[in-house]
């Protein structure tokens, strides 16, 4: 019976029933049991179901209206308010539905302070200072602050080996063009950031896929490649891997670094997600500092539009070569963005926002495990994306690409494993993202849509059409 799950809560709570009713409505919105614009039962009927006095239910709904949870309209009765998961995106494009975006904490005080600081920097800086060409790699202040920030994860970071660049993707483009020569291959994980696939295709670089398991890259695969093929470098994402969420264990990091040192193979450590966990194993740059290009940025914990990346080169000579490659491919990072980010780092707002985003990611990751755990979903405690393995179909129904397409029409950011595959054997699975502009209420409805799609795949004749 609808709403009967409220009965136990109402009986066991110390709060008066009329005060608890709004909380129960809010919880059902977050969990996807209620959807925006869904009509609520007549109050007398609900009072009977809940075994409450009619006046108590009226008072409870009045408080829910004051909080903006529900509304009433003549001829319709009461209905649920809130955003709808399937509304068109604000930019009028579906591009965001394939991107892995961090959650937006718009109303958090730390975010408000971030915006105030940004406005103060722009208004307090002579405009022409922000519109001139600048030395590539950022100003001395930019590099110093970037090194201090990176030192939280790579203690040996120094300004002399740090460059500030316009986004991680631009750094990967420059590094690939710098390190990979004709006839050589770039080793990558069998599931890899799609942007790296695009870079390799554009530059005509051959990718050499290395097998993975649930813990990440298999070191033996890397050594076998080093023995059998001319390897230019190894690119990998060791923390909260995109899309599988794997975090490479310490022992494997030691093994990979040892192999790289024995064969003199540069390592490209893409740590885009490494800021999100409260703690991670030591970086590859700790184990092979003379070979590792360590890359970090703000796109996966603050926002993709903040096109700033920090890269730590393995030596001053490598720093100079990379600066030349970046200058040729990107010219320079935006002085506007650099000035704002430097202020955020120096004044502490960046750390405040990162802590708040970590907490929000923790809530969303927990929700994904609660809702999809029985389906084998893989998550990390402070991540905002998940990997959902799907059963391999015998009859061609419900393949991941079909399900992902159907979910995206509902506004659920789902991407099939084929988008990440480098070995032409993509696993049946979906990367799910609970970031971007999704509210907590939206997250519950998005996961309900995923559960419904899985159920249709199991029982219905037409997989993900819905």
């Amino acid at each position: 019976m609808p709403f009967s799950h409220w009965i136990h809560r109402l009986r066991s709570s110390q709060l008066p029933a009329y005060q608890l009713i709004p909380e129960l409505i809010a919880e059902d919105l977050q969990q996807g049991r209620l959807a925006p614009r869904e009509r609520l039962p007549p109050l007398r009927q609900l009072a009977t179901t809940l075994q409450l006095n009619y006046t108590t239910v009226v008072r409870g709904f009045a408080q829910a209206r004051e909080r903006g949870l529900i509304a009433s309209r003549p001829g319709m009765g009461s209905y649920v308010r809130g955003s709808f998961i399937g509304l068109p995106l604000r930019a009028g494009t579906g591009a965001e539905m394939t991107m892995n975006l961090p959650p937006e904490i718009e109303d958090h005080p730390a975010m408000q302070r971030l915006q105030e600081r940004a406005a103060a920097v722009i208004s307090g800086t002579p405009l022409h200072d922000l519109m001139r060409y600048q030395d590539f790699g950022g100003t001395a202040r930019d590099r110093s602050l970037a090194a201090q920030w990176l030192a939280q994860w790579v203690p040996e970071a120094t300004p002399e080996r740090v460059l500030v660049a316009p986004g991680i993707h631009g750094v990967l483009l420059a590094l690939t063009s710098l390190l990979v020569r004709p006839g050589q291959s770039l080793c990558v994980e069998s599931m890899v950031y799609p942007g790296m696939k695009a870079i390799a295709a554009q530059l005509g670089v051959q990718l050499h896929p290395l097998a993975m398991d649930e813990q990440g890259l298999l070191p033996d695969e890397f050594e076998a490649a080093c023995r059998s093929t001319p390897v230019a470098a190894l690119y990998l994402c060791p923390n909260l891997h995109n899309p599988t969420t794997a975090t490479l264990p310490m022992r494997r990091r030691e093994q990979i670094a040892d192999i790289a040192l024995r064969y003199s193979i540069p390592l490209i450590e893409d740590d885009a997600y490494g800021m999100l966990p409260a703690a991670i194993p030591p970086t590859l740059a700790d184990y092979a500092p003379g070979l590792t290009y360590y890359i970090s940025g703000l796109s996966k914990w603050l926002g993709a539009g903040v096109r700033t990346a920090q890269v730590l080169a393995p030596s001053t000579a490598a720093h100079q070569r990379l600066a030349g490659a970046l200058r040729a491919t990107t010219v320079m990072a935006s002085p506007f963005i650099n000035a704002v980010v430097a202020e955020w780092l120096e004044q502490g707002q960046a750390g405040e926002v990162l802590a708040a985003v970590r907490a929000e990611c923790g809530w969303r990751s927990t929700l994904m495990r609660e809702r999809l755990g029985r389906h084998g979903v893989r998550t990390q405690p402070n991540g905002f994306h998940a990997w959902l393995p799907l059963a391999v179909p015998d009859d061609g129904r419900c393949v991941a690409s079909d399900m992902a397409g159907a979910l995206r029409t509902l506004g659920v950011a789902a991407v099939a494993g084929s988008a990440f595959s480098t070995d032409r054997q993509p696993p049946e699975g979906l990367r799910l993202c609970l970031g971007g502009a999704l509210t907590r209420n939206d997250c519950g409805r998005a996961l309900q849509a995923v559960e419904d799609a899985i159920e249709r795949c199991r029982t219905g004749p037409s997989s993900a059409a819905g």
Side-chain angles (χ1 to χ4, degrees), residues 35-333:
R37 304 191 185 104
E38 181 176 340
R39 289 188 62 178
L40 296 166
L43 299 188
R44 291 193 183 277
Q45 177 183 329
L46 187 59
T48 301
T49 299
L50 300 176
Q51 302 169 31
L52 292 174
N53 182 281
Y54 170 72
T55 304
T56 299
V57 177
V58 170
R59 291 182 67 186
F61 271 50
Q63 292 206 357
R65 273 193 299 273
E66 290 177 4
R67 290 177 52 177
L69 296 169
I70 64 173
S72 300
R73 186 174 297 172
M76 286 187 62
S78 298
Y79 62 95
V80 179
R81 297 184 65 183
S83 57
F84 174 49
I85 193 72
L87 285 177
L89 293 169
R90 292 166 297 173
T93 171
E96 289 187 17
M97 288 296 95
T98 62
M99 300 299 179
N100 213 23
L101 304 174
E104 298 176 3
I105 54 170
E106 190 70 29
D107 297 327
H108 196 283
M111 199 69 189
Q112 295 171 10
R113 288 190 288 272
L114 198 76
Q115 183 166 355
E116 291 168 1
R117 196 67 234 158
V121 171
I122 297 300
S123 64
T125 305
L127 191 57
H128 280 291
D129 287 356
L130 300 175
M131 296 195 298
R132 298 189 184 103
Y133 280 110
Q134 297 185 358
D135 289 341
F136 189 85
T139 65
R141 175 175 178 250
D142 294 335
R143 294 194 301 274
S144 176
L145 290 168
Q148 292 175 37
W149 177 256
L150 291 182
Q152 298 175 82
W153 299 277
V154 190
E156 302 304 317
T158 61
E160 294 75 24
R161 292 193 290 128
V162 168
L163 290 165
V164 177
I168 290 177
H169 189 95
V171 176
L172 296 178
L173 172 63
L175 278 172
T176 304
S177 65
L178 176 67
L179 297 176
V180 185
R181 294 286 174 257
Q184 293 183 313
S185 297
L186 177 64
C187 283
V188 296
E189 295 140 318
S190 59
M191 298 284 280
V192 75
Y193 163 54
M196 179 52 79
K197 293 172 62 175
I199 289 170
Q202 182 66 30
L203 297 179
V205 168
Q206 180 70 37
L207 297 180
H208 187 100
L210 304 178
M212 306 171 64
D213 61 15
E214 292 187 9
Q215 293 185 322
L217 177 68
L218 296 169
D220 289 346
E221 290 282 313
F222 178 37
E223 180 149 26
C226 292
R227 289 174 174 171
S228 63
T229 190
V231 173
L234 167 64
Y235 165 79
L236 74 167
C237 177
N239 297 311
L240 273 70
H241 178 267
N242 178 22
T244 68
T245 77
T247 289
L248 204 62
M250 183 183 301
R251 177 56 181 156
R252 290 196 187 183
R253 295 173 192 239
E254 294 172 342
Q255 292 172 320
I256 289 169
D258 178 67
I259 295 165
L261 289 166
R262 285 191 281 113
Y263 291 91
S264 299
I265 303 297
L267 301 175
I268 304 173
E269 184 173 10
D270 182 352
D271 205 17
Y273 300 87
M275 281 74 251
L276 290 172
I280 57 172
T283 65
L284 289 163
D286 286 330
Y287 294 115
L291 288 172
T292 304
Y293 293 85
Y294 177 85
I295 313 168
S296 181
L298 282 70
S299 62
K300 299 306 179 184
W301 64 266
L302 181 55
V306 186
R307 304 306 299 161
T308 294
Q310 301 102 6
V311 53
L312 176 66
S315 65
T316 53
H319 175 276
Q320 293 173 358
R321 290 193 297 271
L322 177 57
L326 281 164
R327 187 179 297 110
T329 54
T330 64
V331 182
M332 66 179 184

Side-chain angles (χ1 to χ4, degrees), residues 369-383:
R369 289 195 299 274
E370 290 175 351
R371 297 292 294 272
L372 300 177
R374 62 193 177 94
H375 299 295
V377 73
R378 299 177 197 165
T379 66
Q380 289 287 346
N382 294 107

